[in-house]
């Protein structure tokens, strides 16, 4: 490891000892020096502190892989456009971050450490700003979209159909940020639940979470005719390009969204697709009528519900990791597997797939969320 990444990580380790204190100090310095920047952020900053810190973690610990880091920074810079972030804002963030490090890493903060951090941050800021400016030449920062349908599937769950005002390019398996009129400057990511369509519409599966501002507004306070804002499509959990590779798609809860989109894209093209829909009870199978219609139209698609708390499910009963061996019956090595849903389900399923012989490079999941150094990281499908 070269000296510069080592020094950057050593200093950042001091912030990791007290992330709450460090983030409070950072934002205090930022808004004291540049009060106009407060308008770029949501009214409540609690989640913002956590997201910014986790974004820093990703950037700091990627210093040894410049190619991956630059690709990640480019995505962040393009995503920042929907928040109104400009090139000049990065200097203020860098100054506040340096001030925070001087306090929280005082025991290891030297002129050399400051030089290393300054160089690392200058590179990161330049990469993000450059990517944003290139993107601005051909894409808007956000899309206004009309809610054309709002289907309440449960007291806390709705399926929304949206029609963007202009074409919004995306691939099956990706997600978009959503902002509602009720909560300006608060963006939450949701996986798109369909493959691209000729009419350009998108579907989102949204579960209202306790304390979830955007999710609650989308489920309980949104109706056809309303308008929401959508950010650009992001995410790399897209379709395996090998047309001969069979697909295993596993979705739990609203993690079904990207799995359904991948099935819509792959199955009509003639690929063999098995979609496992994980839920505790039959009440959690909120999209089965649509899935059965898709299954009937695509001979290569098999939809299997897996219920962990009901022996009469029409499919295997138990946790997904426990039922996989019988379902796959030794035929795992040639699969491409995709998993989305609650963290415990994803972690347990990924571990089971590895044990069953699915190569790591062919297992795709949504746990490794991309960080956002100004406004927070993307969360997996079904965030608040």
């Amino acid at each position: 490891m070269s000296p510069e990444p080592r020094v950057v990580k050593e200093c950042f380790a001091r912030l990791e000892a007290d992330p709450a204190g460090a983030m409070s100090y950072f934002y205090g310095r930022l808004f004291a020096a540049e009060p106009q920047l407060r308008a770029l952020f949501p009214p409540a900053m609690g989640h913002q502190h956590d997201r910014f810190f986790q974004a820093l973690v990703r950037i700091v610990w990627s210093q040894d892989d410049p190619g991956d880091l630059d690709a990640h920074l480019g995505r962040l810079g393009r995503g920042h456009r929907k928040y109104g972030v400009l090139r000049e804002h990065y200097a203020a963030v860098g100054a506040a971050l340096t001030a925070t490090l001087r306090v929280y890493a005082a025991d290891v903060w030297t002129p050399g450490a400051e030089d290393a951090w300054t160089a690392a941050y200058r590179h990161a800021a330049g990469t993000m700003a450059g990517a944003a400016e290139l993107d601005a030449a051909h894409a808007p920062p956000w899309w206004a979209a009309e809610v054309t349908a709002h289907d309440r599937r449960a007291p806390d769950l709705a399926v929304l159909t949206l029609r963007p005002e202009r074409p919004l390019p995306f691939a099956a398996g990706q997600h978009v940020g959503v902002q509602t009129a009720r909560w300006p400057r608060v963006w939450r990511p949701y996986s798109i639940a369909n493959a691209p369509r000729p009419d350009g519409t998108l579907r989102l599966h949204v579960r209202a979470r306790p304390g979830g501002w955007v999710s609650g507004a989308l489920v309980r306070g949104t109706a056809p005719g309303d308008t929401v804002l959508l950010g650009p499509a992001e995410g790399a959990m897209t379709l395996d390009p090998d047309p001969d590779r069979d697909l295993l798609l596993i979705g739990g809860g609203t993690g079904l969204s990207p799995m359904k989109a991948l099935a819509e894209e792959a199955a009509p093209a003639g690929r063999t697709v098995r979609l496992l829909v994980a839920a505790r009870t039959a009440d959690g199978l909120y999209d089965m009528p649509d899935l059965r219609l898709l299954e009937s139209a695509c001979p290569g698609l098999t939809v299997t519900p897996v219920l962990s708390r009901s022996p009469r499910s029409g499919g295997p009963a138990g946790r997904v990791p426990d039922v996989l061996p019988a379902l796959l019956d030794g035929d795992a090595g040639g699969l491409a597997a995709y998993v989305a849903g609650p963290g415990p389900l994803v972690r347990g399923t990924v571990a089971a797939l590895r044990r069953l012989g699915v190569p790591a490079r062919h297992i795709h999941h949504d746990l490794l969320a991309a960080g956002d150094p100004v406004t927070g990281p993307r969360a997996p499908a079904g965030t608040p």
Side-chain angles (χ1 to χ4, degrees), residues 45-145:
M45 292 291 292
H47 291 302
Q48 176 63 32
H49 288 197
D50 295 338
R51 289 170 177 155
F52 179 52
F53 187 80
Q54 292 305 316
L56 287 174
V57 170
R58 167 72 188 270
I59 291 173
V60 167
W61 293 100
S62 297
Q63 292 293 310
D64 298 317
D65 189 346
D68 178 72
L69 177 59
D70 284 357
H72 175 63
L73 292 169
R75 291 191 295 270
L76 294 183
R78 292 187 290 272
H80 286 165
R81 295 183 58 222
K82 66 180 178 289
Y83 301 102
V85 175
L86 302 175
R87 179 180 285 271
E88 54 264 31
H89 296 153
Y90 288 104
V93 171
L97 183 58
T98 299
T100 303
L101 285 159
R102 286 195 188 107
V103 172
Y104 281 82
D107 63 318
V108 292
W109 193 253
T110 65
E114 183 159 350
D115 288 345
W117 263 95
T118 299
Y121 184 79
R122 184 184 297 118
H123 172 79
T127 302
M128 289 186 282
E133 290 162 0
L134 286 173
D135 192 57
H138 60 82
W142 41 259
W143 286 253

Side-chain angles (χ1 to χ4, degrees), residues 9-23:
K9 294 174 182 179
E10 183 179 32
C11 294
F12 187 73
R14 303 311 196 264
L15 270 64
E16 290 181 304
D18 184 11
M23 292 301 94

Side-chain angles (χ1 to χ4, degrees), residues 285-364:
L285 301 175
Y286 64 87
D287 204 42
M288 286 305 296
D290 279 0
L291 292 174
R292 291 303 186 200
L293 285 174
L294 181 62
E295 183 182 39
S296 66
C298 303
L301 172 63
T302 302
V303 178
T304 304
V306 180
L307 304 187
S308 59
R309 296 184 182 176
S310 173
R312 294 190 296 269
S313 66
R319 296 170 57 253
V320 169
D322 298 332
V323 304
L324 278 176
L327 284 171
L328 298 183
D329 193 25
D331 182 22
L335 292 173
Y338 296 76
V339 192
L345 167 71
V346 176
R347 285 188 287 270
T349 301
V350 168
L353 290 168
R354 292 295 305 278
R355 290 195 300 270
L356 291 168
V358 181
R361 66 183 182 280
H362 292 155
I363 301 175
H364 312 272

Side-chain angles (χ1 to χ4, degrees), residues 145-162:
E146 179 187 359
V147 179
T148 60
H150 187 279
D151 184 5
R152 194 79 169 265
R153 301 284 177 88
D156 63 345
L157 190 145
V159 174
L160 286 73
T161 304
L162 310 175

